[in-house]
Amino acid sequence: MNPAEAKPAGRVAHAFGDAMARLHERVGGDSSGRRVVERWARQSWSDAEAGHVCTELSDDAECRQLASSPVVDVAPDVHEAALVLDGDALYLHRLWRAETLLAARVAALDAPAALGKGAAVGDVVDSLFEPAEADEAQRAALLRALGHRLTLLSGGPGTGKTTTLARLLVAFARLAPDARVAFAAPTGKAAARLGQSLSDQLARFDPTGELRARLPRAGTTLHRLLGLRANGAAPIAAMPLDHDLVIVDEASMLDVEIAAALVAAIGANGRLVLAGDRDQLASVEAGAVFADLCASAGGATVQLTRNHRQKDAAHIVELAAQVRDAAGAPGVPLRWPAAIGRFRADPAAIVDDALAAWAEVREAIEARAAPAKVLAACERHRVLTAMREGPLGSVALNRRIAVAVRRAAGTKTGASPSATSTSASPSVQWYAGRLVLVTVNRPALGLFNGDVGVCLPAMNAEGAPDALVVAFAGAEAPRLFPVAQMPTCEDAWAMTVHKAQGSEFESVALVLAPPGHPLNTRELVYTGITRARSRLAIWSEADVVAQAALSRASRRGRLAQRLVAQRGDAIPPR
């Protein structure tokens, strides 16, 4: 569920508030403070579900009542109470612990650490740029990462983040031949994309493959890198890392707990590079870590601004920049690029558009194309939604698209009798061409929440369609799983913008929420726009994009203030 779609106070929040109130009285708390404890405990849980790290209080009398409760610790004297009051901010204990640890470790990590003599480092960096490729921001990022333990690399699509990371890997390998390197991302999809993108770029800078042989063959998820379970809140005590350089892509997806676990795991001589886009949506979980770090970590932040894809997708770059910068010019109307379609948000028309895009997948299946080719066709187009529920949400649109796709598949692909079998979802029919999104983690299978696959007919010895399998992209070749082995999944023709973070598609149909909906924010629209590489259509009422561009998503937390306070600088604006 997207944070903004979470109910203000669900059953779990009510139960938590009630439990804290009863515990308050049981361990000797003043009965007059029971209702205050109950209300603010419930609100803290609800706020955490909505992505906030803390709950802000404005009533001094209620602050005093909370501070006197035995179920509330008062910072810095924190023990094991479920709630922590830090000034005028109330935290769940685990979030307070994560935020304070993250701030302390980032401050310690932000230190010089020269990898070699200045002249040698400069020569290596210069050797990786052709005269026509000169980009001072990319060069500054390399020098920063080779001279410091912490680097924050932020940039929009096409600004060369992956190219910069590839250059960094080559430079690091040349300056420190025995260095141990890891690169990761918050999700399996983003990790696979990072690994493939780096492999493509490294071929330019290391044509012999000598340096690449020393590097990891593929990216990994952060949970796997840190030895954490991927099915719940991340514990702080991650497995210590002995890597000399850790690169994490899609850092805007980091929540406060996994970020704390990451920085706590970096070794005494290790370096950390976080790469992402500070203007994108924050994590579904609590915190806006990457944006806060970029705003408050001083010289550690390098912002890439030069767009190297301008010729390929100038219309997308232009609209994304207008949405991103709208706060600086609130009275300036959006200039709508002619190449970007805008249509009334009609579910039937959205389904027709998706079905037309799916025709390429159907043709590949009918031609018995290799799984890799079918998967490539599946990744060319996606419907991205602001909402999960409602007529314009991913659930309803997937249901409607599935009906249309199944009708086409049933008349032309000849699904086998086994098409109705699945151990995870017995009520859902499997058929050739079904696009699915895994919704749980199954490490034993190598399948994780967010992985996207397509159902295909397996061929028997005579070359005729047999049982159905589901194909997923792999490091070297697609991985095939019988449908009976599939974990819980859902249809994936339409997915929320949150779910699409870490992915890019040639074509995107962006379906926004109705006018005035709180999900229509600058960050969501910007993220949705920048998932498209070449074609973009926006399905919304006329003024929704302009209105959303002026509405910024807000995450309550004190990470930026904690970091700034440690340096003694002025507090940055949120």
Side-chain angles (χ1 to χ4, degrees):
M1 179 181 292
N2 290 344
E5 289 187 281
K7 294 181 180 180
R11 281 184 292 181
V12 176
H14 275 283
F16 179 70
D18 182 60
M20 290 298 98
R22 285 187 281 108
L23 182 61
H24 166 84
E25 287 193 329
R26 188 181 308 146
V27 295
D30 189 333
S31 60
S32 64
R34 185 187 194 283
R35 290 189 179 276
V36 172
V37 170
E38 180 180 9
R39 182 171 74 255
W40 286 109
R42 181 191 309 158
Q43 188 63 49
S44 292
W45 191 280
S46 295
D47 284 352
E49 286 185 332
H52 302 292
V53 180
C54 66
T55 298
E56 296 174 346
L57 297 94
S58 58
D59 189 302
D60 290 342
E62 291 189 333
C63 278
R64 288 192 294 272
Q65 284 182 301
L66 287 171
S68 65
S69 171
V71 301
V72 179
D73 282 340
V74 178
D77 186 23
V78 176
H79 303 291
E80 292 298 329
L83 296 167
V84 176
L85 183 64
D86 193 341
D88 62 351
L90 184 67
Y91 291 79
L92 300 181
H93 181 277
R94 60 182 174 83
L95 296 181
W96 180 88
R97 184 183 178 211
E99 186 182 83
T100 53
L101 175 63
L102 177 58
R105 293 299 178 91
V106 165
L109 197 60
D110 187 10
L115 195 62
K117 294 183 178 180
V121 172
D123 289 344
V124 169
V125 170
D126 290 341
S127 71
L128 296 171
F129 289 89
E130 296 292 337
E133 296 178 320
D135 186 321
E136 285 306 310
Q138 289 191 23
R139 189 175 186 278
L142 295 186
L143 293 174
R144 168 74 198 189
L146 296 171
H148 295 79
R149 297 188 62 209
L150 176 67
T151 302
L152 307 171
L153 179 65
S154 178
T159 54
K161 293 190 297 294
T162 304
T163 304
T164 302
L165 294 177
R167 285 188 168 111
L168 172 61
L169 288 171
V170 173
F172 210 85
R174 289 179 181 173
L175 291 166
D178 298 325
R180 294 155 298 183
V181 175
F183 45 88
T187 67
K189 178 75 174 178
R193 182 167 159 252
L194 171 64
Q196 184 59 55
S197 298
L198 284 175
S199 178
D200 294 343
Q201 290 292 335
L202 283 169
R204 290 179 51 203
F205 306 115
D206 179 33
T208 67
E210 177 187 354
L211 298 179
R212 276 176 288 166
R214 308 181 208 154
L215 299 172
R217 297 181 62 186
T220 185
T221 65
L222 267 178
H223 281 84
R224 184 177 295 180
L225 176 68
L226 298 173
L228 302 175
R229 290 185 301 171
N231 58 351
I236 300 300
M239 180 175 65
L241 298 173
D242 60 356
H243 298 85
D244 300 287
L245 173 64
V246 176
I247 293 174
V248 177
D249 196 22
E250 298 295 344
S252 64
M253 299 169 69
L254 293 175
D255 64 80
V256 68
E257 291 185 276
I258 192 67
L262 171 63
V263 297
I266 300 297
N269 298 312
R271 297 165 193 261
L272 176 64
V273 176
L274 299 179
D277 187 344
R278 64 192 295 178
D279 297 304
Q280 280 190 26
L281 279 168
S283 166
V284 174
E285 304 298 333
V289 171
F290 190 62
D292 284 346
L293 290 178
C294 288
S296 56
T301 304
V302 180
Q303 181 73 37
L304 302 182
T305 56
R306 178 182 170 188
N307 196 289
H308 298 271
R309 281 195 218 155
Q310 191 79 35
K311 293 181 181 179
D312 299 328
H315 54 298
I316 294 172
V317 172
E318 178 188 351
L319 184 61
Q322 289 186 71
V323 170
R324 181 195 62 211
D325 300 335
V332 179
L334 290 178
R335 302 179 304 279
W336 200 269
I340 295 178
R342 182 170 58 186
F343 308 97
R344 186 173 62 86
D346 174 24
I350 294 168
V351 171
D352 289 342
D353 182 63
L355 189 61
W358 183 81
E360 182 181 357
V361 179
R362 186 178 69 241
E363 291 168 2
I365 294 172
E366 292 173 351
R368 299 183 185 177
K373 185 174 181 179
V374 180
L375 283 167
C378 291
E379 289 299 291
R380 292 199 178 99
H381 179 79
R382 195 72 84 246
V383 178
L384 302 183
T385 68
M387 303 182 295
R388 176 172 171 81
E389 307 298 336
L392 297 176
S394 60
V395 173
L397 289 175
N398 267 322
R399 189 178 299 120
R400 297 182 67 146
I401 295 171
V403 170
V405 170
R406 287 171 63 182
R407 186 178 298 120
T411 57
K412 293 196 174 185
T413 60
S416 72
S418 63
T420 58
S421 66
T422 168
S423 59
S425 306
S427 63
V428 177
Q429 185 181 25
W430 285 93
Y431 50 90
R434 184 188 178 204
L435 196 64
V436 295
L437 175 79
V438 176
T439 58
V440 295
N441 295 299
R442 291 292 180 267
L445 295 175
L447 293 176
F448 297 89
N449 185 6
D451 287 347
V452 175
V454 61
C455 187
L456 300 173
M459 301 301 169
N460 60 23
E462 287 73 37
D466 196 1
L468 294 175
V469 296
V470 184
F472 292 86
E476 298 179 353
R479 298 169 296 148
L480 306 180
F481 298 87
V483 294
Q485 196 178 15
M486 283 295 297
T488 305
C489 55
E490 60 188 30
D491 289 336
W493 292 283
M495 58 201 307
T496 64
V497 175
H498 270 93
K499 285 282 189 181
Q501 284 183 274
S503 300
E504 283 186 354
F505 310 96
E506 289 299 319
S507 170
V508 164
L510 178 59
V511 184
L512 299 180
H517 197 287
L519 275 174
N520 288 333
T521 64
R522 182 191 319 162
E523 291 80 0
L524 182 136
V525 174
Y526 173 84
T527 303
I529 290 171
T530 55
R531 298 310 88 201
R533 282 195 290 259
S534 60
R535 177 182 176 271
L536 174 67
I538 296 182
W539 298 78
S540 74
E541 303 302 324
D543 297 328
V544 167
V545 174
Q547 293 169 0
L550 298 176
S551 176
R552 184 176 181 185
S554 176
R555 291 287 180 91
R556 289 190 294 275
R558 302 294 171 85
L559 175 61
Q561 289 92 327
R562 292 183 194 281
L563 285 167
V564 169
Q566 293 194 42
R567 295 204 320 267
D569 297 343
I571 295 178
R574 285 186 59 81

